[in-house]
């Protein structure tokens, strides 16, 4: 009896060899898709971050060297996150627009050596604010916290302008205040920085996956949570509302964050807007892969690559990932 099935259609033919698989591959990752987030601090030493194995808080010297290593393997975009000394933290976070602050000096240091790197900066108050919130906190007698929207936006404009003056290519508001994109665009234009772009964290969820990041920067909220400004993980229609608003206010690119648990949102936003879409594979997503790989339970290289490919396949044009340098090295 013949075992042969009568099968004119056999999808496996398109998978028969590496060469054929290469021909039919729909999604590819390239180092130029990646944005490398880097932590910086005021110390002269580079310090390994316990909550994020493989990541460091870089000194300015260490930062420039690490950007150089990333540059060598094809990474061309970085974003900085500062750990600010407690003595500089205030309720209004004024240190965020100090022209001699850590971030402006980091921008200048990197741009001086690698002018072809796109330097992106995070615009939000949480590293600078003594309350650990992205905006200014007002608490009333009942102890209820209010995050003041419009007062915060005024400070974010000064922060964005300060980054632009130092040479940032793109500012990236991660604070989720209403109306900040329009206000920042106007402030940049008035300051003659019409060439500085805005990558808006338009769709940022109130996510527990940010835990390791807040540990890295010591920036966790002192009280309350971020649910009155970051989005409810249960919602996706709201994602489009946020993205549309930010684009109408002048965002050049919009971001969905986190990435892996929100692939449906990335796909939905990609189909609905006509600006580039970024996705942020956040600290918790990174740490899950790292910790499983540490005990040999997962193959870190392969899982990291697959996780990023999935994010790209869902529709992200660019990905912020702590794996950027390692993955780029394997791709190049
Ligand atoms: C702060 C900010 C956060 C992240 C990026 N910018 C934390 C937060 O909103 O609490 C998280 C990044 C990560 O978890 O990797 N505005």
């Amino acid at each position: 009896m013949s075992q042969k099935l009568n099968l004119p259609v056999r999808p496996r033919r398109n998978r028969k060899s590496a060469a054929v698989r290469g021909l039919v591959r729909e999604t590819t990752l390239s180092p130029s898709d990646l944005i490398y987030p880097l932590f910086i601090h005021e110390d002269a030493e580079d310090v390994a971050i316990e909550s994020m194995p493989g990541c460091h808080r870089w000194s300015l010297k260490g930062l420039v060297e690490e950007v150089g290593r990333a540059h060598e393997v094809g990474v061309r975009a970085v974003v900085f996150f500062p750990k600010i000394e407690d003595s500089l933290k205030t309720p209004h976070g004024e240190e965020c627009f100090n022209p001699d602050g850590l971030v402006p000096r980091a921008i200048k240091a990197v741009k001086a050596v690698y002018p072809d790197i796109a330097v992106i900066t995070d615009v939000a108050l949480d590293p600078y604010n003594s309350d650990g919130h992205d905006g200014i906190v007002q608490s009333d007698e009942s102890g209820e916290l209010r995050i003041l929207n419009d007062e915060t936006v005024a400070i974010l404009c000064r922060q964005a302008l300060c980054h632009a003056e130092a040479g940032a290519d793109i500012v990236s508001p991660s604070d989720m205040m209403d109306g900040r994109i329009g206000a920042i665009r106007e402030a940049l234009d008035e300051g003659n920085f019409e060439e500085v772009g805005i990558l808006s964290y338009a769709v940022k969820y109130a996510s527990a996956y940010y835990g390791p990041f807040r540990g890295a920067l010591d920036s966790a909220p002192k009280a309350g949570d971020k649910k009155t400004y970051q989005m409810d993980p249960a919602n996706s229609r709201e994602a489009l509302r946020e993205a549309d608003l930010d684009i109408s206010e002048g965002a050049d690119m919009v971001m969905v964050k986190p990435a892996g648990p929100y692939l449906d949102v990335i796909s939905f936003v990609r189909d609905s807007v006509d600006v580039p879409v970024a996705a942020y594979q956040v600290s918790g997503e990174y740490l899950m892969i790292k910790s499983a790989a540490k005990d040999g339970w997962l193959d870190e290289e392969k899982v990291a690559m697959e996780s990023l490919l999935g994010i790209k396949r869902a529709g992200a044009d660019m990905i912020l990932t702590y794996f950027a340098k390692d993955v780029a090295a394997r791709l190049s």
Side-chain angles (χ1 to χ4, degrees):
M1 189 182 73
S2 164
Q3 300 281 32
K4 238 181 184 5
L5 301 172
N6 178 19
L7 276 184
V9 178
R10 292 179 183 263
R12 287 185 54 191
R13 281 195 285 266
N14 284 352
R15 300 178 206 131
K16 71 191 263 174
S17 67
V20 172
R21 289 192 296 273
L23 292 175
V24 303
R25 183 162 299 127
E26 299 172 34
T27 309
T28 50
L29 262 182
S30 139
S32 61
D33 302 326
L34 305 176
I35 301 173
Y36 190 17
L38 291 158
F39 300 102
I40 53 178
H41 66 178
E42 205 55 77
D43 299 16
E45 302 290 316
D46 304 321
V47 176
I49 299 173
E50 209 178 316
S51 65
M52 296 180 65
C55 294
H56 294 77
R57 273 192 295 269
W58 300 103
S59 64
L60 288 189
K61 182 167 167 285
L63 171 71
V64 175
E65 290 165 1
E66 178 68 357
V67 171
R69 290 186 284 269
H71 188 277
E72 202 159 293
V73 292
V75 173
R76 287 294 180 275
V78 294
V79 58
F80 302 150
F81 294 103
K83 180 174 190 325
I84 300 299
E85 286 165 30
D86 280 341
S87 63
L88 296 174
K89 296 187 183 185
T90 55
H92 287 217
E94 286 91 346
E95 176 63 15
C96 78
F97 54 79
N98 176 1
D100 302 316
L102 182 58
V103 169
R105 278 180 285 129
I107 299 168
K108 288 178 194 158
V110 166
K111 276 297 197 180
V113 185
Y114 299 104
D116 63 331
I117 287 268
V119 170
I120 305 172
T121 58
D122 195 74
V123 173
L125 298 188
D126 52 318
Y128 302 95
N129 174 319
S130 37
D131 297 295
H133 275 283
D134 293 23
I136 299 169
V137 176
Q138 188 185 60
S139 45
D140 61 20
E141 290 97 66
S142 68
E144 190 82 37
L145 294 185
R146 282 183 65 222
I147 311 298
L148 303 180
N149 193 87
D150 300 12
E151 293 82 346
T152 298
V153 170
I155 297 184
L156 298 175
C157 288
R158 299 183 69 174
Q159 183 181 21
L161 210 47
C162 164
H163 294 171
E165 276 159 5
D169 296 284
I170 297 174
V171 295
S172 195
S174 68
D175 55 285
M176 290 297 280
M177 297 300 117
D178 291 333
R180 89 276 207 219
I181 300 301
I184 289 173
R185 185 70 269 161
E186 197 180 317
L188 290 172
D189 290 351
E190 270 171 18
N192 294 320
F193 292 110
E194 52 282 320
E195 287 182 11
V196 172
I198 301 179
L199 164 57
S200 164
Y201 286 70
V203 184
K204 179 172 178 178
Y205 287 93
S207 171
Y209 285 87
Y210 307 150
F213 173 98
R214 294 178 188 168
L217 293 185
D218 191 19
S219 66
K222 299 282 178 291
D225 54 41
K226 301 193 175 186
K227 290 179 185 168
T228 65
Y229 46 107
Q230 299 180 346
M231 284 174 50
D232 183 338
N235 295 350
S236 69
R237 283 192 300 267
E238 198 181 356
L240 194 51
R241 188 168 189 232
E242 285 284 3
D244 278 346
L245 261 175
D246 285 3
I247 294 165
S248 73
E249 290 177 25
D252 299 287
M253 313 166 178
V254 292
M255 190 194 300
V256 175
K257 176 188 177 181
Y262 296 83
L263 296 179
D264 57 326
V265 178
I266 296 173
S267 168
F268 175 52
V269 170
R270 174 62 290 161
D271 288 345
S272 313
V273 304
D274 55 10
V275 300
V277 174
Y280 197 147
Q281 183 181 53
V282 301
S283 55
E285 301 175 71
Y286 171 81
L287 186 65
M288 291 197 307
I289 296 174
K290 276 280 178 187
S291 4
K294 184 168 96 356
D295 293 326
W297 292 13
L298 279 183
D299 179 324
E300 177 182 325
E301 274 191 22
K302 289 184 177 148
V303 172
M305 196 70 86
E306 188 175 330
S307 68
L308 294 172
L309 195 63
I311 294 165
K312 183 103 189 272
R313 190 192 61 240
D317 299 291
M318 67 197 97
I319 306 172
L320 295 90
T321 173
Y322 301 99
F323 289 115
K325 185 187 65 175
D326 292 352
V327 164
R330 263 170 266 135
L331 290 171
S332 62

